[in-house]
């Protein structure tokens, strides 16, 4: 569970803050990963399931990168 997952699901607006945009993008990646994992769990074809799990892993990787960007944008270090 990442920091951004505790953020509310923001509405898309032309004036949304970077923090909101990153939180929204991260949530979309999370939902995509869950979608692919759900599909993988319902297929009997091992090759299809494997491909879907790979897609889920890719989305989880995107989510992790967005989490790092979110933390840096939302909680910048000040020296």
């Amino acid at each position: 569970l990442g920091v951004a997952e505790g953020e509310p699901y923001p509405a898309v607006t032309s004036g949304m803050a970077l923090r909101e945009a990153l939180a929204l993008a991260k949530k979309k990646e999370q939902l995509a990963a869950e979608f692919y994992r759900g599909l993988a769990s319902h297929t009997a074809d091992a090759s299809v399931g494997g491909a879907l799990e790979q897609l889920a892993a890719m989305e989880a990787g995107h989510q992790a990168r967005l989490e790092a960007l979110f933390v840096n944008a939302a909680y910048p270090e000040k020296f």
Side-chain angles (χ1 to χ4, degrees):
L1 184 68
V3 174
E5 289 174 3
E7 289 292 303
Y9 198 82
V12 176
T13 66
S14 61
M16 71 189 316
L18 176 60
R19 173 187 175 135
E20 294 171 321
L22 290 170
L24 178 60
K26 186 177 178 302
K27 187 66 172 177
K28 297 273 188 185
E29 296 293 346
Q30 176 189 351
L31 294 173
E34 291 171 3
F35 173 75
Y36 289 128
R37 281 191 201 101
L39 287 177
S41 72
H42 287 92
T43 184
D45 186 322
S47 65
V48 171
L52 291 167
E53 287 294 342
Q54 285 181 329
L55 289 169
M58 288 173 58
E59 299 299 346
H62 299 156
Q63 183 181 0
R65 284 192 293 276
L66 285 164
E67 174 71 14
L69 291 170
F70 174 84
V71 169
N72 289 332
Y75 306 101
E77 292 186 28
K78 296 183 176 152
F79 295 98

